[in-house]
Amino acid sequence: MGWRGYACSFYFVALILIASACSYSVQPVSTRALNVYSAYENKVPGNFVLVMDSSIRNVNREVTPASYICRAHRFPIAVGDSLAVSIKQTLESIFEQVREQGSAPPADQLNKLGFNGVILVRLDDFSPRIICNKGFMSGTCTANTDLSFGVTVRGPGGILASTAASGSKTADGDAGVYCGGGADVLSDSITRATRDALERVGERLSNSPKLREAGAQYTSSPVTQPPRNETGMPMQTQSANDQNTPAVSKASPSSVRLAGLFLTKGPIVSTPPQRFSAEFYDTGKAVAVLSGLRRLTGDFQSFAINESIGAKYSAQLIKPDSIRPQLGADAKGFAVFSDETGTKLECSYTFTKSTGRGQGVCADNQSNTYQIVFD
């Protein structure tokens, strides 16, 4: 057989491989939030019912690569069980007692049944994608997963906490024989995105003063509505009973303001922009989570709207007094973050004291610029 015969044979085999679609089941592993930043030493007190929406256990997708390579292959995904286990394990690490049930008890029956509230969890978005490319020796695949949860905690008197958190993670790997490795790459991406979203959910629930007050209402006297400080955040008051309690037995609570960091300029910018998170506590401390789960901690200070930030701080990455106040803003702030690997971040923003809402600009020493928006 001449070279033309070999070429035709190879071409015929290639056509068979391309035409014969294979199906590779994707099996994500369960994971709980590993890096939950909390201003409290203890878990959220109380006994809570966990109810997962049908969207959690019934989520199914079938993904086909968006690339020509491996396009004939299908990747069916059923993540219900692993997702439900991940959610429960995360909440068990946040709350003292969590009992999963298929439905929520009536609000007027919660006290009678010994529950402080009901945690309702739903899946708002689940969008896995994969592309594969031809390599020198073997193919490679890149998977990306966008995933978001909505969480509402209801007590006998109404909503105690309500939040939504998303995760978006990418994974790379070998395409394997006949593209079967793509299933492992997709699984890795889904697991990472799940952990990313659950860490944000965990942080917001763990740092909710209202949720902690509701959880402890049967073991301590009711807490009155706390006054607000100059940043518009509730300040924690101390009762006479608390003054007689050793500091080691009770964590020092604080309030938190949440902010989104939207990447608007840098080496890798997407449309819509990637969103990261930051949290500002009334203790003057703050934490930011950037790409790759880089956790930066720092301090912030608030100023009068006409006061000079530059007169007190020598900023290196931004011009803090150049931020133009939005309509209604009557205060401004400056924050400095860093981590153990040398990453630094500076933020300057304006806000309205009565609502705590505001926005501004952040920049890091990795050539990235962000818009910061307070929820």
Side-chain angles (χ1 to χ4, degrees):
M1 181 184 297
W3 68 269
R4 292 180 183 273
Y6 284 113
C8 290
S9 298
F10 177 79
Y11 181 69
F12 179 72
V13 172
L15 284 177
I16 293 177
L17 291 177
I18 293 175
S20 59
C22 295
S23 179
Y24 301 103
S25 178
V26 179
Q27 299 178 339
V29 298
S30 61
T31 179
R32 71 178 181 88
L34 299 176
N35 300 304
V36 176
Y37 180 87
S38 178
Y40 301 81
E41 297 175 0
N42 57 339
K43 295 183 179 181
V44 176
N47 188 14
F48 291 82
V49 177
L50 169 60
V51 178
M52 299 191 208
D53 186 77
S54 59
S55 60
I56 300 293
R57 297 187 183 276
N58 297 333
V59 57
N60 293 280
R61 298 287 188 276
E62 185 173 274
V63 178
T64 300
S67 54
Y68 174 75
I69 303 298
C70 300
R71 191 177 186 86
H73 303 285
R74 296 177 293 109
F75 298 93
I77 307 170
V79 299
D81 289 340
S82 65
L83 203 58
V85 172
S86 300
I87 293 170
K88 186 176 181 181
Q89 289 181 344
T90 296
L91 295 179
E92 286 176 339
S93 70
I94 300 299
F95 293 84
E96 281 186 354
Q97 298 182 63
V98 175
R99 180 188 300 178
E100 184 181 357
Q101 294 185 181
S103 60
D108 58 0
Q109 295 293 313
L110 288 176
N111 289 346
K112 182 179 180 180
L113 296 172
F115 295 115
N116 298 78
V118 180
I119 309 169
L120 303 169
V121 185
R122 68 180 185 276
L123 182 66
D124 290 336
D125 179 43
F126 177 64
S127 303
R129 299 173 294 277
I130 187 171
I131 59 173
C132 298
N133 298 287
K134 182 179 180 181
F136 180 72
M137 296 297 293
S138 62
T140 60
C141 292
T142 298
N144 177 264
T145 300
D146 294 329
L147 181 149
S148 64
F149 296 105
V151 180
T152 301
V153 184
R154 297 183 181 275
I159 295 178
L160 302 174
S162 182
T163 187
S166 61
S168 181
K169 288 298 175 181
T170 299
D172 302 290
D174 198 312
V177 180
Y178 303 126
C179 302
D184 295 330
V185 178
L186 269 169
S187 175
D188 189 18
S189 172
I190 294 169
T191 300
R192 294 184 183 187
T194 301
R195 184 167 58 243
D196 187 27
L198 288 177
E199 285 175 350
R200 299 182 184 185
V201 168
E203 288 179 351
R204 294 175 183 180
L205 296 180
S206 179
N207 288 294
S208 169
K210 186 175 181 180
L211 192 55
R212 287 180 174 272
E213 290 170 8
Q217 63 180 317
Y218 300 115
T219 58
S220 62
S221 57
V223 180
T224 58
Q225 182 67 26
R228 292 182 173 268
N229 63 12
E230 66 169 358
T231 65
M233 297 184 293
M235 295 179 63
Q236 193 68 30
T237 58
Q238 188 178 37
S239 66
N241 291 335
D242 291 339
Q243 294 174 3
N244 297 325
T245 303
V248 69
S249 65
K250 186 172 183 179
S252 178
S254 61
S255 301
V256 59
R257 291 171 64 203
L258 306 177
L261 294 173
F262 298 87
L263 182 59
T264 58
K265 184 179 180 182
I268 302 177
V269 176
S270 61
T271 303
Q274 298 181 63
R275 173 173 177 156
F276 307 108
S277 62
E279 298 181 350
F280 293 71
Y281 299 89
D282 62 359
T283 58
K285 299 295 183 180
V287 59
V289 180
L290 302 182
S291 177
L293 290 181
R294 287 180 297 163
R295 186 174 300 275
L296 287 69
T297 58
D299 303 276
F300 73 95
Q301 183 175 345
S302 298
F303 298 82
I305 194 67
N306 295 322
E307 192 175 353
S308 173
I309 298 175
K312 184 169 184 179
Y313 292 98
S314 298
Q316 301 176 349
L317 304 173
I318 59 176
K319 296 179 179 180
D321 291 311
S322 65
I323 305 301
R324 185 175 181 180
Q326 74 273 18
L327 183 65
D330 53 7
K332 59 184 178 180
F334 179 67
V336 179
F337 302 83
S338 64
D339 65 5
E340 297 178 354
T341 64
T343 301
K344 295 182 179 180
L345 177 74
E346 293 179 351
C347 298
S348 180
Y349 49 89
T350 63
F351 62 95
T352 303
K353 289 189 285 187
S354 61
T355 64
R357 296 176 181 251
Q359 60 184 19
V361 174
C362 300
D364 63 25
N365 59 347
Q366 310 296 319
S367 302
N368 295 306
T369 301
Y370 310 81
Q371 180 188 18
I372 182 170
V373 179
F374 289 89
D375 296 337

